[in-house]
Amino acid sequence: MKEITSQQQRVLDCIQIYLNKTGFPPTRADICRELGFKSPNSAETHLRALEKKGFISIESGASRGISIIGNSDLSSNMDNNYPVIGLVAAGSPTLAEENIENKISCPDDFFSSSFDYFLKVKGLSMKDAGIMEDDLVAVKKTHDVKNGDIVIARIDDEVTIKFLNRKSPKIVELEPANDDFQNIIVDLEHEDFTIEGKSVGLLRRN
Amino acid sequence: MKEITSQQQRVLDCIQIYLNKTGFPPTRADICRELGFKSPNSAETHLRALEKKGFISIESGASRGISIIGNSDLSSNMDNNYPVIGLVAAGSPTLAEENIENKISCPDDFFSSSFDYFLKVKGLSMKDAGIMEDDLVAVKKTHDVKNGDIVIARIDDEVTIKFLNRKSPKIVELEPANDDFQNIIVDLEHEDFTIEGKSVGLLRRN
DNA sequence: TATTATACTGTATATATATTCAGTATTTAT
DNA sequence: ATAAATACTGAATATATATACAGTATAATA
């Protein structure tokens, strides 16, 4: 990255401020208006200098086709929109559009492991593990689960969140964290059982 | 905010994805290309519907003058580093540097209300409220608290997190959410009592 | 039943916008 | 000493783009 001149810095700042204000980049004319230039070519040449030095990129031919490079902590941060899924019974695919209640913007590295969606918890079967109704459990879609993990499992058409406990190659036990609920024993030979994923974190919004 | 249709959601997602990819919003033609529409008016009408419902704003006459409302990955939704504070006894100021265990980058609008720091919970006195050891409670520094709020309070040199229950102008009761613990009754006339803030959310990282 | 919202295709056009060309002047490298 | 980069004005233009207009069709409301 080469050295930037003070005027070029003013133009770069102008682009960033315009972006923060409007949500889209400025035109040459916009930059002129903001900085008091009288010719669009003033903005143009500054933009080309900034491009040459690697501060911005310019999409040829596109209007407002300016984007600021290396801006990871500002506008183009590592946030992603993660869907919030309700605990749905009927065996519809978990991430089907109709199940998405809303989306939450969240850094990708927010939990110890990457994750795929938030599961909105129904019921209190895991309350002794501190998982309450309407809590959002960060779920990583994986089959790599160990005994003791909090897993999201599907038995036939029922989706549930429980502690995993493999008893034998053919028997899986799902343990709630609430004395009012009973263990679920799954016979893998006779029941349709799938591990959707496991919990890697939890989010509660009062 | 009115209800969004699935096609309108596709268009909204398309705008967000285009923004993440290029750094500037799409044109009507871009949206058509991405979603397979054959007429720019298809994009136009969807955009106007999204505008009418309050999901986006459109700058009249401006090319690519689309900005997503609320979500705003660009301006207000900047991530911030929030300190993680341990439940410290000795009456040192809560945000003093020596108490900061680490920092967590998190969007400013992550919880229903803005907040100031994460409190790392010690003990299980709030376990029936789903607050477990080492959970991170998002704390908003405020004195505007109501009965039933989960508050972070200081009695003399002791900091604690409990349910608030004002019994009278002179008596405050702090209620744990665990039968093994007893209510704390504070006499405001004889004890040094401060409300540090209240819980506005919770974060658990497995 | 009429009306409005949704969901499109297809054509047309005013204008918003990038971009080139022609200058002038100052400063910085080689 | 000469070239190259910086820092502008001013005018011209091809085209990128928003947007209106004319249709068709279906589902949801009133």
Side-chain angles (χ1 to χ4, degrees):
Chain A
M1 194 84 73
K2 282 185 184 170
E3 207 180 297
I4 196 169
T5 69
S6 65
Q7 280 300 84
Q8 286 163 6
Q9 185 67 58
R10 281 185 72 209
V11 174
L12 190 59
D13 290 344
C14 170
I15 297 166
Q16 185 65 62
I17 290 164
Y18 194 100
L19 263 168
N20 290 342
K21 203 166 56 186
T22 68
F24 42 88
T27 65
R28 277 58 168 172
D30 290 329
I31 296 171
C32 290
R33 204 172 309 114
E34 295 290 330
L35 299 181
F37 301 150
K38 290 180 181 168
S39 166
N41 194 40
S42 300
E44 178 71 20
T45 50
H46 279 131
L47 290 174
R48 294 301 164 183
L50 285 166
E51 186 191 31
K52 205 174 172 185
K53 292 180 178 178
F55 292 100
I56 62 172
S57 74
I58 301 172
E59 175 79 15
S60 175
S63 63
R64 302 177 187 270
I66 305 167
S67 59
I68 298 177
I69 293 174
N71 207 0
S72 52
D73 45 329
L74 281 166
S75 64
S76 65
N77 50 22
M78 298 303 190
D79 281 18
N80 228 313
N81 278 315
Y82 290 94
V84 176
I85 316 275
L87 248 182
V88 277
S92 51
T94 319
L95 281 173
E97 212 171 87
E98 63 269 24
N99 298 330
I100 298 178
E101 297 193 0
N102 67 322
K103 294 189 175 187
I104 292 177
S105 177
C106 170
D108 287 338
D109 59 354
F110 203 55
F111 296 101
S112 52
S113 160
S114 68
F115 69 108
D116 298 288
Y117 59 93
F118 286 109
L119 182 75
K120 191 168 200 172
V121 174
K122 291 293 152 218
L124 286 167
S125 72
M126 292 297 279
K127 84 170 185 53
D128 290 344
I131 299 175
M132 313 302 273
E133 175 114 27
D134 290 333
D135 279 1
L136 303 171
V137 170
V139 177
K140 183 187 178 67
K141 288 204 282 186
T142 179
H143 299 288
D144 174 29
V145 289
K146 302 183 300 292
N147 281 351
D149 281 351
I150 293 173
V151 298
I152 286 76
R154 184 194 304 282
I155 313 150
D156 294 324
D157 267 359
E158 191 88 16
V159 178
T160 187
I161 175 167
K162 296 283 179 300
F163 282 113
L164 179 78
N165 187 8
R166 286 192 225 271
K167 304 290 272 189
S168 77
K170 292 175 186 169
I171 301 292
V172 165
E173 200 170 35
L174 296 176
E175 296 176 359
N178 184 338
D179 291 342
D180 299 338
F181 289 74
Q182 295 198 334
N183 287 9
I184 301 171
I185 291 151
V186 184
D187 180 345
L188 297 181
E189 283 187 329
H190 297 94
E191 282 171 290
D192 180 15
F193 179 80
T194 328
I195 299 281
E196 291 275 335
K198 66 177 174 185
S199 161
V200 298
L202 183 138
L203 180 60
R204 182 178 304 150
R205 305 168 118 176
N206 292 358
Chain B
M1 192 85 73
K2 283 186 186 170
E3 206 180 295
I4 196 170
T5 69
S6 66
Q7 281 301 85
Q8 286 163 6
Q9 185 67 58
R10 282 185 71 210
V11 174
L12 190 58
D13 289 344
C14 170
I15 297 166
Q16 185 65 64
I17 290 163
Y18 194 100
L19 262 168
N20 290 343
K21 203 166 59 187
T22 68
F24 43 88
T27 66
R28 275 59 166 171
D30 291 329
I31 295 171
C32 290
R33 204 173 308 114
E34 296 290 332
L35 298 180
F37 300 150
K38 289 179 181 167
S39 167
N41 195 39
S42 300
E44 178 71 21
T45 49
H46 278 132
L47 291 174
R48 293 302 163 183
L50 285 167
E51 186 191 31
K52 204 173 171 186
K53 292 180 177 177
F55 291 100
I56 62 172
S57 74
I58 302 173
E59 175 80 16
S60 175
S63 63
R64 301 175 190 271
I66 304 166
S67 61
I68 297 177
I69 294 174
N71 158 32
S72 66
D73 254 5
L74 289 141
S75 51
S76 75
N77 191 21
M78 202 116 82
D79 281 16
N80 229 312
N81 280 314
Y82 290 94
V84 176
I85 316 276
L87 248 180
V88 278
S92 49
T94 319
L95 282 172
E97 212 171 90
E98 63 268 26
N99 297 330
I100 298 178
E101 297 193 358
N102 66 324
K103 293 192 174 191
I104 292 177
S105 175
C106 171
D108 288 337
D109 59 354
F110 204 52
F111 295 101
S112 53
S113 160
S114 67
F115 68 107
D116 297 288
Y117 60 91
F118 287 110
L119 181 76
K120 192 167 198 171
V121 175
K122 290 293 154 218
L124 286 168
S125 71
M126 292 296 280
K127 86 169 184 53
D128 291 343
I131 300 175
M132 314 301 275
E133 175 114 27
D134 289 334
D135 280 359
L136 303 171
V137 171
V139 178
K140 182 185 178 70
K141 289 205 283 185
T142 177
H143 299 290
D144 174 29
V145 290
K146 300 183 301 291
N147 281 353
D149 281 352
I150 294 173
V151 299
I152 287 73
R154 183 194 306 280
I155 312 152
D156 293 327
D157 267 359
E158 191 90 14
V159 177
T160 186
I161 174 167
K162 295 285 181 298
F163 283 112
L164 179 76
N165 187 8
R166 287 193 222 271
K167 304 291 270 188
S168 76
K170 293 175 183 168
I171 301 292
V172 165
E173 199 170 36
L174 295 175
E175 297 177 358
N178 186 336
D179 291 342
D180 299 340
F181 288 73
Q182 294 197 335
N183 287 7
I184 301 171
I185 290 153
V186 185
D187 181 346
L188 299 181
E189 283 188 327
H190 297 93
E191 282 170 290
D192 179 15
F193 179 78
T194 327
I195 300 281
E196 291 275 335
K198 66 177 174 183
S199 161
V200 297
L202 182 138
L203 181 60
R204 182 179 304 149
R205 307 167 116 172
N206 292 356

